[in-house]
PDB file of all heavy atoms in Angstrom:
ATOM      1  N   LEU A  82     -25.375  19.776 -27.263  1.00  0.00           N
ATOM      2  CA  LEU A  82     -24.827  18.470 -26.967  1.00  0.00           C
ATOM      3  C   LEU A  82     -23.718  18.158 -27.945  1.00  0.00           C
ATOM      4  O   LEU A  82     -23.891  18.301 -29.144  1.00  0.00           O
ATOM      5  CB  LEU A  82     -25.930  17.391 -27.047  1.00  0.00           C
ATOM      6  CG  LEU A  82     -25.453  15.944 -26.900  1.00  0.00           C
ATOM      7  CD1 LEU A  82     -24.869  15.635 -25.529  1.00  0.00           C
ATOM      8  CD2 LEU A  82     -26.626  14.965 -27.224  1.00  0.00           C
ATOM      9  N   ILE A  84     -20.964  15.068 -28.996  1.00  0.00           N
ATOM     10  CA  ILE A  84     -20.583  13.665 -28.815  1.00  0.00           C
ATOM     11  C   ILE A  84     -19.173  13.531 -29.376  1.00  0.00           C
ATOM     12  O   ILE A  84     -18.968  13.493 -30.585  1.00  0.00           O
ATOM     13  CB  ILE A  84     -21.581  12.722 -29.541  1.00  0.00           C
ATOM     14  CG1 ILE A  84     -22.992  12.992 -29.048  1.00  0.00           C
ATOM     15  CG2 ILE A  84     -21.171  11.268 -29.340  1.00  0.00           C
ATOM     16  CD1 ILE A  84     -24.055  12.198 -29.761  1.00  0.00           C
ATOM     17  N   LEU A 142     -25.426   8.870 -23.128  1.00  0.00           N
ATOM     18  CA  LEU A 142     -26.648   9.276 -23.788  1.00  0.00           C
ATOM     19  C   LEU A 142     -27.886   8.678 -23.148  1.00  0.00           C
ATOM     20  O   LEU A 142     -28.911   9.342 -22.982  1.00  0.00           O
ATOM     21  CB  LEU A 142     -26.584   8.936 -25.298  1.00  0.00           C
ATOM     22  CG  LEU A 142     -25.619   9.756 -26.144  1.00  0.00           C
ATOM     23  CD1 LEU A 142     -25.339   9.069 -27.450  1.00  0.00           C
ATOM     24  CD2 LEU A 142     -26.138  11.146 -26.360  1.00  0.00           C
ATOM     25  N   PRO A 152     -34.741  19.250 -23.759  1.00  0.00           N
ATOM     26  CA  PRO A 152     -34.225  18.920 -25.108  1.00  0.00           C
ATOM     27  C   PRO A 152     -33.115  19.879 -25.530  1.00  0.00           C
ATOM     28  O   PRO A 152     -33.053  21.034 -25.103  1.00  0.00           O
ATOM     29  CB  PRO A 152     -35.449  19.099 -25.991  1.00  0.00           C
ATOM     30  CG  PRO A 152     -36.625  18.924 -25.093  1.00  0.00           C
ATOM     31  CD  PRO A 152     -36.173  19.497 -23.779  1.00  0.00           C
ATOM     32  N   PHE A 153     -32.250  19.341 -26.400  1.00  0.00           N
ATOM     33  CA  PHE A 153     -31.147  20.139 -26.916  1.00  0.00           C
ATOM     34  C   PHE A 153     -31.553  20.864 -28.202  1.00  0.00           C
ATOM     35  O   PHE A 153     -32.433  20.395 -28.952  1.00  0.00           O
ATOM     36  CB  PHE A 153     -29.911  19.238 -27.185  1.00  0.00           C
ATOM     37  CG  PHE A 153     -29.287  18.712 -25.940  1.00  0.00           C
ATOM     38  CD1 PHE A 153     -29.609  17.469 -25.424  1.00  0.00           C
ATOM     39  CD2 PHE A 153     -28.357  19.481 -25.209  1.00  0.00           C
ATOM     40  CE1 PHE A 153     -29.048  16.990 -24.268  1.00  0.00           C
ATOM     41  CE2 PHE A 153     -27.765  18.996 -24.102  1.00  0.00           C
ATOM     42  CZ  PHE A 153     -28.098  17.740 -23.591  1.00  0.00           C
ATOM     43  N   VAL A 156     -26.722  19.708 -31.824  1.00  0.00           N
ATOM     44  CA  VAL A 156     -25.932  18.530 -31.535  1.00  0.00           C
ATOM     45  C   VAL A 156     -24.776  18.456 -32.509  1.00  0.00           C
ATOM     46  O   VAL A 156     -24.971  18.548 -33.734  1.00  0.00           O
ATOM     47  CB  VAL A 156     -26.718  17.221 -31.542  1.00  0.00           C
ATOM     48  CG1 VAL A 156     -25.835  16.019 -31.203  1.00  0.00           C
ATOM     49  CG2 VAL A 156     -27.913  17.265 -30.631  1.00  0.00           C
ATOM     50  N   VAL A 158     -21.827  15.796 -33.651  1.00  0.00           N
ATOM     51  CA  VAL A 158     -21.394  14.401 -33.532  1.00  0.00           C
ATOM     52  C   VAL A 158     -20.019  14.289 -34.204  1.00  0.00           C
ATOM     53  O   VAL A 158     -19.868  14.467 -35.404  1.00  0.00           O
ATOM     54  CB  VAL A 158     -22.397  13.426 -34.210  1.00  0.00           C
ATOM     55  CG1 VAL A 158     -21.909  11.996 -34.070  1.00  0.00           C
ATOM     56  CG2 VAL A 158     -23.781  13.587 -33.602  1.00  0.00           C
ATOM     57  N   PRO A 166     -24.828   5.734 -36.610  1.00  0.00           N
ATOM     58  CA  PRO A 166     -26.322   5.490 -36.640  1.00  0.00           C
ATOM     59  C   PRO A 166     -26.921   5.571 -35.263  1.00  0.00           C
ATOM     60  O   PRO A 166     -28.022   6.141 -35.090  1.00  0.00           O
ATOM     61  CB  PRO A 166     -26.404   4.091 -37.233  1.00  0.00           C
ATOM     62  CG  PRO A 166     -25.169   3.930 -38.077  1.00  0.00           C
ATOM     63  CD  PRO A 166     -24.103   4.653 -37.283  1.00  0.00           C
ATOM     64  N   VAL A 167     -26.243   5.043 -34.251  1.00  0.00           N
ATOM     65  CA  VAL A 167     -26.771   5.034 -32.885  1.00  0.00           C
ATOM     66  C   VAL A 167     -26.793   6.483 -32.356  1.00  0.00           C
ATOM     67  O   VAL A 167     -27.755   6.907 -31.724  1.00  0.00           O
ATOM     68  CB  VAL A 167     -25.908   4.151 -31.971  1.00  0.00           C
ATOM     69  CG1 VAL A 167     -26.357   4.251 -30.508  1.00  0.00           C
ATOM     70  CG2 VAL A 167     -25.927   2.701 -32.445  1.00  0.00           C
ATOM     71  N   TYR A 168     -25.710   7.257 -32.663  1.00  0.00           N
ATOM     72  CA  TYR A 168     -25.653   8.599 -32.200  1.00  0.00           C
ATOM     73  C   TYR A 168     -26.755   9.449 -32.821  1.00  0.00           C
ATOM     74  O   TYR A 168     -27.336  10.354 -32.153  1.00  0.00           O
ATOM     75  CB  TYR A 168     -24.291   9.224 -32.497  1.00  0.00           C
ATOM     76  CG  TYR A 168     -23.146   8.532 -31.817  1.00  0.00           C
ATOM     77  CD1 TYR A 168     -21.884   8.513 -32.360  1.00  0.00           C
ATOM     78  CD2 TYR A 168     -23.335   7.873 -30.594  1.00  0.00           C
ATOM     79  CE1 TYR A 168     -20.800   7.887 -31.720  1.00  0.00           C
ATOM     80  CE2 TYR A 168     -22.256   7.247 -29.919  1.00  0.00           C
ATOM     81  CZ  TYR A 168     -20.997   7.294 -30.544  1.00  0.00           C
ATOM     82  OH  TYR A 168     -19.984   6.626 -29.897  1.00  0.00           O
ATOM     83  N   PHE A 169     -27.049   9.218 -34.072  1.00  0.00           N
ATOM     84  CA  PHE A 169     -28.131   9.965 -34.746  1.00  0.00           C
ATOM     85  C   PHE A 169     -29.459   9.616 -34.076  1.00  0.00           C
ATOM     86  O   PHE A 169     -30.296  10.569 -33.806  1.00  0.00           O
ATOM     87  CB  PHE A 169     -28.202   9.585 -36.204  1.00  0.00           C
ATOM     88  CG  PHE A 169     -29.460  10.043 -36.898  1.00  0.00           C
ATOM     89  CD1 PHE A 169     -29.680  11.433 -37.062  1.00  0.00           C
ATOM     90  CD2 PHE A 169     -30.388   9.161 -37.374  1.00  0.00           C
ATOM     91  CE1 PHE A 169     -30.825  11.862 -37.695  1.00  0.00           C
ATOM     92  CE2 PHE A 169     -31.534   9.608 -37.979  1.00  0.00           C
ATOM     93  CZ  PHE A 169     -31.763  10.960 -38.179  1.00  0.00           C
ATOM     94  N   GLU A 170     -29.729   8.387 -33.792  1.00  0.00           N
ATOM     95  CA  GLU A 170     -30.975   8.022 -33.149  1.00  0.00           C
ATOM     96  C   GLU A 170     -31.120   8.683 -31.764  1.00  0.00           C
ATOM     97  O   GLU A 170     -32.220   9.131 -31.403  1.00  0.00           O
ATOM     98  CB  GLU A 170     -31.099   6.483 -33.070  1.00  0.00           C
ATOM     99  CG  GLU A 170     -31.249   5.839 -34.431  1.00  0.00           C
ATOM    100  CD  GLU A 170     -31.204   4.329 -34.364  1.00  0.00           C
ATOM    101  OE1 GLU A 170     -30.613   3.790 -33.386  1.00  0.00           O
ATOM    102  OE2 GLU A 170     -31.717   3.671 -35.255  1.00  0.00           O
ATOM    103  N   TRP A 171     -30.039   8.681 -31.001  1.00  0.00           N
ATOM    104  CA  TRP A 171     -30.088   9.355 -29.688  1.00  0.00           C
ATOM    105  C   TRP A 171     -30.239  10.869 -29.850  1.00  0.00           C
ATOM    106  O   TRP A 171     -31.014  11.497 -29.079  1.00  0.00           O
ATOM    107  CB  TRP A 171     -28.832   9.039 -28.899  1.00  0.00           C
ATOM    108  CG  TRP A 171     -28.921   7.753 -28.136  1.00  0.00           C
ATOM    109  CD1 TRP A 171     -28.152   6.612 -28.326  1.00  0.00           C
ATOM    110  CD2 TRP A 171     -29.755   7.450 -27.039  1.00  0.00           C
ATOM    111  NE1 TRP A 171     -28.499   5.629 -27.438  1.00  0.00           N
ATOM    112  CE2 TRP A 171     -29.511   6.133 -26.647  1.00  0.00           C
ATOM    113  CE3 TRP A 171     -30.765   8.155 -26.369  1.00  0.00           C
ATOM    114  CZ2 TRP A 171     -30.164   5.497 -25.568  1.00  0.00           C
ATOM    115  CZ3 TRP A 171     -31.406   7.544 -25.334  1.00  0.00           C
ATOM    116  CH2 TRP A 171     -31.121   6.246 -24.939  1.00  0.00           C
ATOM    117  N   ALA A 172     -29.535  11.433 -30.817  1.00  0.00           N
ATOM    118  CA  ALA A 172     -29.654  12.893 -31.037  1.00  0.00           C
ATOM    119  C   ALA A 172     -31.071  13.258 -31.377  1.00  0.00           C
ATOM    120  O   ALA A 172     -31.604  14.272 -30.895  1.00  0.00           O
ATOM    121  CB  ALA A 172     -28.696  13.317 -32.148  1.00  0.00           C
ATOM    122  N   LEU A 173     -31.738  12.454 -32.198  1.00  0.00           N
ATOM    123  CA  LEU A 173     -33.139  12.735 -32.578  1.00  0.00           C
ATOM    124  C   LEU A 173     -34.010  12.638 -31.356  1.00  0.00           C
ATOM    125  O   LEU A 173     -34.964  13.426 -31.178  1.00  0.00           O
ATOM    126  CB  LEU A 173     -33.551  11.710 -33.618  1.00  0.00           C
ATOM    127  CG  LEU A 173     -34.851  12.006 -34.349  1.00  0.00           C
ATOM    128  CD1 LEU A 173     -34.853  13.375 -34.996  1.00  0.00           C
ATOM    129  CD2 LEU A 173     -35.129  10.917 -35.400  1.00  0.00           C
ATOM    130  N   ARG A 174     -33.733  11.690 -30.482  1.00  0.00           N
ATOM    131  CA  ARG A 174     -34.541  11.505 -29.287  1.00  0.00           C
ATOM    132  C   ARG A 174     -34.361  12.671 -28.275  1.00  0.00           C
ATOM    133  O   ARG A 174     -35.274  13.043 -27.555  1.00  0.00           O
ATOM    134  CB  ARG A 174     -34.177  10.195 -28.589  1.00  0.00           C
ATOM    135  CG  ARG A 174     -34.904   9.899 -27.315  1.00  0.00           C
ATOM    136  CD  ARG A 174     -34.575   8.512 -26.792  1.00  0.00           C
ATOM    137  NE  ARG A 174     -35.217   8.271 -25.504  1.00  0.00           N
ATOM    138  CZ  ARG A 174     -35.125   7.116 -24.824  1.00  0.00           C
ATOM    139  NH1 ARG A 174     -34.476   6.104 -25.352  1.00  0.00           N
ATOM    140  NH2 ARG A 174     -35.719   7.006 -23.642  1.00  0.00           N
ATOM    141  N   LEU A 175     -33.164  13.232 -28.262  1.00  0.00           N
ATOM    142  CA  LEU A 175     -32.800  14.237 -27.245  1.00  0.00           C
ATOM    143  C   LEU A 175     -32.972  15.659 -27.676  1.00  0.00           C
ATOM    144  O   LEU A 175     -32.640  16.613 -26.928  1.00  0.00           O
ATOM    145  CB  LEU A 175     -31.378  14.010 -26.761  1.00  0.00           C
ATOM    146  CG  LEU A 175     -31.156  12.714 -25.950  1.00  0.00           C
ATOM    147  CD1 LEU A 175     -29.663  12.441 -25.809  1.00  0.00           C
ATOM    148  CD2 LEU A 175     -31.794  12.799 -24.583  1.00  0.00           C
ATOM    149  N   THR A 176     -33.456  15.891 -28.920  1.00  0.00           N
ATOM    150  CA  THR A 176     -33.597  17.262 -29.424  1.00  0.00           C
ATOM    151  C   THR A 176     -35.054  17.666 -29.585  1.00  0.00           C
ATOM    152  O   THR A 176     -35.949  16.802 -29.580  1.00  0.00           O
ATOM    153  CB  THR A 176     -32.892  17.392 -30.801  1.00  0.00           C
ATOM    154  OG1 THR A 176     -33.329  16.312 -31.652  1.00  0.00           O
ATOM    155  CG2 THR A 176     -31.398  17.378 -30.656  1.00  0.00           C
ATOM    156  N   ARG A 177     -35.262  18.950 -29.784  1.00  0.00           N
ATOM    157  CA  ARG A 177     -36.591  19.496 -30.009  1.00  0.00           C
ATOM    158  C   ARG A 177     -36.773  19.845 -31.516  1.00  0.00           C
ATOM    159  O   ARG A 177     -35.758  19.959 -32.214  1.00  0.00           O
ATOM    160  CB  ARG A 177     -36.803  20.786 -29.174  1.00  0.00           C
ATOM    161  CG  ARG A 177     -35.942  21.911 -29.582  1.00  0.00           C
ATOM    162  CD  ARG A 177     -36.227  23.185 -28.767  1.00  0.00           C
ATOM    163  NE  ARG A 177     -35.456  23.189 -27.513  1.00  0.00           N
ATOM    164  CZ  ARG A 177     -35.997  23.141 -26.317  1.00  0.00           C
ATOM    165  NH1 ARG A 177     -37.294  23.050 -26.166  1.00  0.00           N
ATOM    166  NH2 ARG A 177     -35.204  23.242 -25.251  1.00  0.00           N
ATOM    167  N   PRO A 178     -37.994  20.011 -31.968  1.00  0.00           N
ATOM    168  CA  PRO A 178     -38.198  20.447 -33.355  1.00  0.00           C
ATOM    169  C   PRO A 178     -37.472  21.766 -33.606  1.00  0.00           C
ATOM    170  O   PRO A 178     -37.489  22.665 -32.754  1.00  0.00           O
ATOM    171  CB  PRO A 178     -39.752  20.623 -33.431  1.00  0.00           C
ATOM    172  CG  PRO A 178     -40.291  19.647 -32.401  1.00  0.00           C
ATOM    173  CD  PRO A 178     -39.283  19.672 -31.283  1.00  0.00           C
ATOM    174  N   ALA A 180     -34.217  21.841 -34.041  1.00  0.00           N
ATOM    175  CA  ALA A 180     -32.835  21.606 -33.670  1.00  0.00           C
ATOM    176  C   ALA A 180     -31.993  21.234 -34.871  1.00  0.00           C
ATOM    177  O   ALA A 180     -32.493  20.697 -35.865  1.00  0.00           O
ATOM    178  CB  ALA A 180     -32.752  20.492 -32.616  1.00  0.00           C
ATOM    179  N   ILE A 182     -28.497  19.104 -36.133  1.00  0.00           N
ATOM    180  CA  ILE A 182     -27.551  18.075 -35.838  1.00  0.00           C
ATOM    181  C   ILE A 182     -26.441  18.113 -36.912  1.00  0.00           C
ATOM    182  O   ILE A 182     -26.769  18.054 -38.104  1.00  0.00           O
ATOM    183  CB  ILE A 182     -28.196  16.670 -35.805  1.00  0.00           C
ATOM    184  CG1 ILE A 182     -29.357  16.629 -34.792  1.00  0.00           C
ATOM    185  CG2 ILE A 182     -27.187  15.594 -35.509  1.00  0.00           C
ATOM    186  CD1 ILE A 182     -30.229  15.374 -34.927  1.00  0.00           C
ATOM    187  N   LEU A 212     -30.533   5.896 -42.574  1.00  0.00           N
ATOM    188  CA  LEU A 212     -31.498   6.216 -41.518  1.00  0.00           C
ATOM    189  C   LEU A 212     -32.097   7.647 -41.735  1.00  0.00           C
ATOM    190  O   LEU A 212     -33.286   7.838 -41.537  1.00  0.00           O
ATOM    191  CB  LEU A 212     -30.814   6.156 -40.151  1.00  0.00           C
ATOM    192  CG  LEU A 212     -30.452   4.768 -39.643  1.00  0.00           C
ATOM    193  CD1 LEU A 212     -29.689   4.871 -38.300  1.00  0.00           C
ATOM    194  CD2 LEU A 212     -31.678   3.905 -39.426  1.00  0.00           C
ATOM    195  N   ILE A 213     -31.207   8.581 -42.071  1.00  0.00           N
ATOM    196  CA  ILE A 213     -31.714   9.941 -42.314  1.00  0.00           C
ATOM    197  C   ILE A 213     -32.713   9.952 -43.441  1.00  0.00           C
ATOM    198  O   ILE A 213     -33.792  10.566 -43.348  1.00  0.00           O
ATOM    199  CB  ILE A 213     -30.506  10.856 -42.660  1.00  0.00           C
ATOM    200  CG1 ILE A 213     -29.570  11.033 -41.438  1.00  0.00           C
ATOM    201  CG2 ILE A 213     -30.992  12.215 -43.114  1.00  0.00           C
ATOM    202  CD1 ILE A 213     -28.272  11.742 -41.765  1.00  0.00           C
ATOM    203  N   GLU A 216     -36.104   8.757 -42.391  1.00  0.00           N
ATOM    204  CA  GLU A 216     -36.696   9.368 -41.220  1.00  0.00           C
ATOM    205  C   GLU A 216     -37.509  10.586 -41.600  1.00  0.00           C
ATOM    206  O   GLU A 216     -36.984  11.603 -42.037  1.00  0.00           O
ATOM    207  CB  GLU A 216     -35.576   9.777 -40.237  1.00  0.00           C
ATOM    208  CG  GLU A 216     -36.041  10.511 -38.987  1.00  0.00           C
ATOM    209  CD  GLU A 216     -37.104   9.812 -38.223  1.00  0.00           C
ATOM    210  OE1 GLU A 216     -36.807   8.742 -37.663  1.00  0.00           O
ATOM    211  OE2 GLU A 216     -38.260  10.326 -38.265  1.00  0.00           O
ATOM    212  N   PRO A 217     -38.834  10.528 -41.501  1.00  0.00           N
ATOM    213  CA  PRO A 217     -39.672  11.646 -41.929  1.00  0.00           C
ATOM    214  C   PRO A 217     -39.608  12.864 -41.040  1.00  0.00           C
ATOM    215  O   PRO A 217     -40.031  13.965 -41.438  1.00  0.00           O
ATOM    216  CB  PRO A 217     -41.096  11.044 -41.883  1.00  0.00           C
ATOM    217  CG  PRO A 217     -41.006   9.956 -40.858  1.00  0.00           C
ATOM    218  CD  PRO A 217     -39.631   9.394 -40.996  1.00  0.00           C
ATOM    219  N   ARG A 218     -38.976  12.766 -39.852  1.00  0.00           N
ATOM    220  CA  ARG A 218     -38.935  13.884 -38.956  1.00  0.00           C
ATOM    221  C   ARG A 218     -37.769  14.799 -39.244  1.00  0.00           C
ATOM    222  O   ARG A 218     -37.639  15.841 -38.537  1.00  0.00           O
ATOM    223  CB  ARG A 218     -38.851  13.374 -37.490  1.00  0.00           C
ATOM    224  CG  ARG A 218     -40.096  12.696 -36.993  1.00  0.00           C
ATOM    225  CD  ARG A 218     -39.891  12.071 -35.646  1.00  0.00           C
ATOM    226  NE  ARG A 218     -38.984  10.929 -35.699  1.00  0.00           N
ATOM    227  CZ  ARG A 218     -38.524  10.265 -34.638  1.00  0.00           C
ATOM    228  NH1 ARG A 218     -38.850  10.667 -33.447  1.00  0.00           N
ATOM    229  NH2 ARG A 218     -37.710   9.242 -34.819  1.00  0.00           N
ATOM    230  N   VAL A 219     -36.897  14.502 -40.194  1.00  0.00           N
ATOM    231  CA  VAL A 219     -35.752  15.324 -40.440  1.00  0.00           C
ATOM    232  C   VAL A 219     -35.595  15.654 -41.930  1.00  0.00           C
ATOM    233  O   VAL A 219     -36.156  14.959 -42.774  1.00  0.00           O
ATOM    234  CB  VAL A 219     -34.445  14.679 -39.939  1.00  0.00           C
ATOM    235  CG1 VAL A 219     -34.542  14.292 -38.454  1.00  0.00           C
ATOM    236  CG2 VAL A 219     -34.081  13.441 -40.766  1.00  0.00           C
ATOM    237  N   THR A 220     -34.870  16.706 -42.176  1.00  0.00           N
ATOM    238  CA  THR A 220     -34.392  17.015 -43.551  1.00  0.00           C
ATOM    239  C   THR A 220     -32.914  17.281 -43.423  1.00  0.00           C
ATOM    240  O   THR A 220     -32.424  17.800 -42.401  1.00  0.00           O
ATOM    241  CB  THR A 220     -35.148  18.217 -44.121  1.00  0.00           C
ATOM    242  OG1 THR A 220     -34.702  18.433 -45.466  1.00  0.00           O
ATOM    243  CG2 THR A 220     -34.894  19.484 -43.327  1.00  0.00           C
ATOM    244  N   ILE A 238     -28.307  18.289 -40.459  1.00  0.00           N
ATOM    245  CA  ILE A 238     -29.623  17.735 -40.299  1.00  0.00           C
ATOM    246  C   ILE A 238     -30.472  18.707 -39.500  1.00  0.00           C
ATOM    247  O   ILE A 238     -30.065  19.234 -38.449  1.00  0.00           O
ATOM    248  CB  ILE A 238     -29.586  16.398 -39.524  1.00  0.00           C
ATOM    249  CG1 ILE A 238     -28.595  15.422 -40.185  1.00  0.00           C
ATOM    250  CG2 ILE A 238     -30.975  15.765 -39.418  1.00  0.00           C
ATOM    251  CD1 ILE A 238     -28.017  14.383 -39.264  1.00  0.00           C
ATOM    252  N   ARG A 239     -31.695  18.960 -39.974  1.00  0.00           N
ATOM    253  CA  ARG A 239     -32.670  19.762 -39.195  1.00  0.00           C
ATOM    254  C   ARG A 239     -33.791  18.895 -38.746  1.00  0.00           C
ATOM    255  O   ARG A 239     -34.386  18.174 -39.567  1.00  0.00           O
ATOM    256  CB  ARG A 239     -33.203  20.938 -40.034  1.00  0.00           C
ATOM    257  CG  ARG A 239     -34.102  21.871 -39.218  1.00  0.00           C
ATOM    258  CD  ARG A 239     -34.584  23.037 -40.066  1.00  0.00           C
ATOM    259  NE  ARG A 239     -35.250  24.059 -39.228  1.00  0.00           N
ATOM    260  CZ  ARG A 239     -36.530  24.064 -38.917  1.00  0.00           C
ATOM    261  NH1 ARG A 239     -37.324  23.060 -39.334  1.00  0.00           N
ATOM    262  NH2 ARG A 239     -37.026  25.036 -38.130  1.00  0.00           N
ATOM    263  N   VAL A 240     -34.101  18.926 -37.477  1.00  0.00           N
ATOM    264  CA  VAL A 240     -35.226  18.180 -36.922  1.00  0.00           C
ATOM    265  C   VAL A 240     -36.486  18.992 -37.221  1.00  0.00           C
ATOM    266  O   VAL A 240     -36.683  20.111 -36.751  1.00  0.00           O
ATOM    267  CB  VAL A 240     -35.060  17.959 -35.395  1.00  0.00           C
ATOM    268  CG1 VAL A 240     -36.232  17.172 -34.844  1.00  0.00           C
ATOM    269  CG2 VAL A 240     -33.745  17.252 -35.122  1.00  0.00           C
ATOM    270  N   GLU A 241     -37.386  18.409 -37.964  1.00  0.00           N
ATOM    271  CA  GLU A 241     -38.601  19.108 -38.397  1.00  0.00           C
ATOM    272  C   GLU A 241     -39.753  18.909 -37.421  1.00  0.00           C
ATOM    273  O   GLU A 241     -40.555  19.783 -37.181  1.00  0.00           O
ATOM    274  CB  GLU A 241     -39.035  18.598 -39.802  1.00  0.00           C
ATOM    275  CG  GLU A 241     -38.000  18.841 -40.891  1.00  0.00           C
ATOM    276  CD  GLU A 241     -37.924  20.314 -41.255  1.00  0.00           C
ATOM    277  OE1 GLU A 241     -38.901  20.847 -41.755  1.00  0.00           O
ATOM    278  OE2 GLU A 241     -36.857  20.912 -41.017  1.00  0.00           O
ATOM    279  N   SER A 242     -39.852  17.730 -36.849  1.00  0.00           N
ATOM    280  CA  SER A 242     -40.968  17.463 -35.912  1.00  0.00           C
ATOM    281  C   SER A 242     -40.566  16.344 -34.941  1.00  0.00           C
ATOM    282  O   SER A 242     -39.537  15.714 -35.096  1.00  0.00           O
ATOM    283  CB  SER A 242     -42.205  17.075 -36.706  1.00  0.00           C
ATOM    284  OG  SER A 242     -42.003  15.872 -37.447  1.00  0.00           O
TER     285      SER A 242
END
Side-chain angles (χ1 to χ4, degrees):
L82 173 64
I84 304 175
L142 288 164
F153 291 95
V156 180
V158 181
V167 177
Y168 298 151
F169 168 66
E170 291 173 338
W171 275 114
L173 192 56
R174 179 174 174 178
L175 292 167
T176 48
R177 68 177 86 244
I182 303 168
L212 289 176
I213 293 170
E216 178 52 70
R218 291 173 292 174
V219 305
T220 183
I238 307 155
R239 186 178 190 272
V240 180
E241 299 287 296
S242 63

